[in-house]
Amino acid sequence: MSVYSQNRVYLDHNATSPLRNEAREAMLQAFDTLGNPVSLHGHGRDARKICEDAREAVALAMGVCAQDLIFTGSGMESDNTAIHSAYKAGCTHMLVAEMDHPATINAAQNCGAVCEKIPCNADGQTDMDWLRDRLKNWDSAEGRPFVSITAANSETGVIQDISTATDLTHDAGGLILVDAVQIMGKMPMTYNVDYLSVSAHKVGGPQGVGALYVASDAPFTSLLQGGGQEKRRRAGTLNVAGIAGFGAAANAATPMPHLSAMRDRIETELRTMEPDITFFGENAPRLPNTSFLALPDVAAQTLLMGLDLEGVSVSTGTACSSGVSRTSRVVNAMGLTDKAPLGAMRVSLGYTTTDANIDTFLNAWAKVRRYNQRVAS
C-alpha cells in the first residue's frame, strides 16, 4: 500500500474491498507454482489442487456444490455467461429487475432477447406482485421465462426478496439468475437458483476473478470458446494465483453485522447536521455496510471531492458508472429524482473499517460543509 493510501480512510468497499492478508499470502504461494492446472504432470497437479481447493472454499461460501462452480474473469462475465446460456436455451424474452446491476441489464438488452424491466417501489424493493402477475400471464410464444435479480443493490444496499422471486420463476417453469456480488461475505447465502454469480474483489480477494454457479439441471452454453478448461465450460488458462486468492478470501470473509451500528451512527449524526438529507432505501432491509445519501442543494461530486481532499474515499455510486455527472439511475428507478437532483453519494464500509474511520469521516463532512456554506454565502 502506498504512503498516500495509508493516510486515507477507505469507505468504498462496495466498489472493491482491499486485498486481505490471507488472500495475498495464498497468491504469493501460488505464484511459486510452475504448472498449468490442465497439465498431467506433477507441477500441473499442484496447480490444479490450488484451484480445486479454492473452488471448494468459494462454493462453501456460496452454499452450492463445488462441481457446479465455474471460475470466470469477473462477476460481469459470470452474469453475461448465464444470460447467454439462457438465451441459447430459448429464453427469448427476459425480465430484469430495474434495480439490477448494469452487468445484467446491458447483457439482457444486447443478447438478442426482448428485455422487460421489473419495476421497484420507492424503497428500492423489486415489485413481486408485478412479477407474479407477469409470469401468471406469460405467453408461450415469448419462450421460456427468464428472470434476473441482483440480490442486493450496489448503491442503496437494499436486499431483494430472492426466495419469492425464485418460487415465482420456478412455478412458471422459468430460469432465474441472481447476482450475489454484493451479498457474498456480508450475509449468509442460501439460494435455490439456476445461476448465481459472485466476484472475488468484493470480499477482499483479487480483482479480475469471478465465479458462476450453474445448477446441474440448468442449460449452459459457453460464452468463451477455445480450450477445454473448466470441463469445457469456460475456455482459457486458469488464473491460478487469482483463484487461490479468491479461495482464501472466501474462507476469511464472514458476515459483518457489527457494521450496521457504524452505518447507523453515520446516518444519525448526518441527519443531525443535515435535516434535509435523504437516505435511500432506509425503510427496506439493507446490507449492514451501505448508506446511499443525497442533499437536495449540493452536488454529490462536490461532496466527494471535498471529502477526498480531507483524505476520505467514498463514491457517487456503482464503480461501473462512476465519473459520470448525472442523476443516479437507481434513484430514478425509485421515483425519487427530486430528492437527489444533483446526484447521490455512497458510503460503504467493510472489514477494515474502524470507529476511528467513522470519526474521521464525520469530522471531514462537517469541515467540507462549513467550507461549502462559506463559499455559497
Side-chain angles (χ1 to χ4, degrees):
M1 182 182 294
S2 69
V3 173
Y4 178 75
S5 296
Q6 286 178 337
N7 295 327
R8 297 181 60 84
V9 170
Y10 185 77
L11 300 178
D12 196 18
H13 282 258
N14 283 11
T16 195
S17 203
L19 190 69
R20 293 176 183 269
N21 289 332
E22 297 90 340
R24 181 180 292 105
E25 289 302 317
M27 294 175 71
L28 289 174
Q29 292 179 27
F31 282 131
D32 290 332
T33 302
L34 302 178
N36 187 313
V38 299
S39 298
L40 299 179
H41 49 60
H43 288 96
R45 292 196 298 273
D46 289 343
R48 186 159 60 252
K49 185 178 187 306
I50 290 173
C51 294
E52 294 311 311
D53 287 348
R55 196 187 310 275
E56 292 283 349
V58 174
L60 180 63
M62 296 172 68
V64 302
C65 294
Q67 66 184 18
D68 298 322
L69 195 68
I70 305 166
F71 283 118
T72 65
S74 63
M76 185 171 293
E77 183 193 326
S78 297
D79 289 333
N80 275 253
T81 301
I83 289 170
H84 172 76
S85 296
Y87 177 69
K88 290 295 185 180
C91 297
T92 55
H93 195 119
M94 298 185 170
L95 306 180
V96 181
E98 196 165 15
M99 296 296 284
D100 260 16
H101 190 277
T104 56
I105 293 176
N106 292 342
Q109 288 177 333
N110 291 288
C111 72
V114 174
C115 181
E116 190 173 352
K117 291 185 180 179
I118 311 168
C120 68
N121 62 22
D123 290 322
Q125 295 169 299
T126 299
D127 190 337
M128 293 300 157
D129 290 333
W130 185 97
L131 180 60
R132 181 181 290 104
D133 291 341
R134 183 66 182 84
L135 291 172
K136 184 178 180 180
N137 295 293
W138 192 264
D139 188 334
S140 60
E142 295 175 307
R144 188 177 183 182
F146 176 84
V147 173
S148 170
I149 295 186
T150 299
N153 184 266
S154 62
E155 295 187 19
T156 64
V158 169
I159 299 168
Q160 304 299 335
D161 186 355
I162 299 302
S163 178
T164 296
T166 300
D167 289 344
L168 293 174
T169 303
H170 287 166
D171 287 348
L175 300 168
I176 183 168
L177 159 66
V178 169
D179 181 320
V181 164
Q182 292 295 342
I183 287 280
M184 188 179 188
K186 300 181 181 114
M187 298 183 65
M189 296 171 62
T190 54
Y191 303 127
N192 183 32
V193 298
D194 302 289
Y195 307 100
L196 186 65
S197 62
V198 294
S199 182
H201 73 106
K202 304 295 188 179
V203 295
Q207 297 170 356
V209 185
L212 173 67
Y213 162 77
V214 181
S216 58
D217 58 349
F220 182 80
T221 302
S222 298
L223 179 66
L224 300 181
Q225 302 296 321
Q229 294 88 350
E230 291 295 86
K231 299 179 182 177
R232 299 192 177 277
R233 297 177 296 182
R234 198 264 189 181
T237 302
L238 290 177
N239 177 1
V240 178
I243 289 170
F246 194 179
N251 271 330
T254 57
M256 299 175 284
H258 69 281
L259 294 181
S260 62
M262 294 183 180
R263 190 268 315 277
D264 292 347
R265 179 188 167 205
I266 288 174
E267 295 186 354
T268 297
E269 298 200 24
L270 288 186
R271 200 184 297 277
T272 299
M273 287 188 271
E274 313 280 0
D276 294 332
I277 199 167
T278 295
F279 297 104
F280 298 98
E282 64 176 325
N283 297 318
R286 283 185 295 167
L287 294 174
N289 76 314
T290 305
S291 184
F292 195 47
L293 56 95
L295 294 174
D297 57 349
V298 182
Q301 288 195 341
T302 297
L303 290 171
L304 183 150
M305 289 186 288
L307 290 168
D308 186 53
L309 291 173
E310 294 300 318
V312 178
S313 296
V314 295
S315 69
T316 54
T318 177
C320 300
S321 302
S322 64
V324 181
S325 181
R326 63 186 180 195
T327 303
S328 164
R329 175 186 63 83
V330 166
V331 171
N332 288 340
M334 297 166 72
L336 299 175
T337 306
D338 61 316
K339 299 290 186 180
L342 301 176
M345 190 182 78
R346 181 184 67 192
V347 181
S348 52
L349 319 179
Y351 77 95
T352 63
T353 307
T354 65
D355 288 325
N357 293 156
I358 307 304
D359 292 338
T360 300
F361 167 77
L362 291 169
N363 290 333
W365 178 285
K367 183 176 179 180
V368 169
R369 291 293 286 131
R370 285 195 299 269
Y371 174 79
N372 289 344
Q373 288 160 359
R374 284 201 302 271
V375 170
S377 62

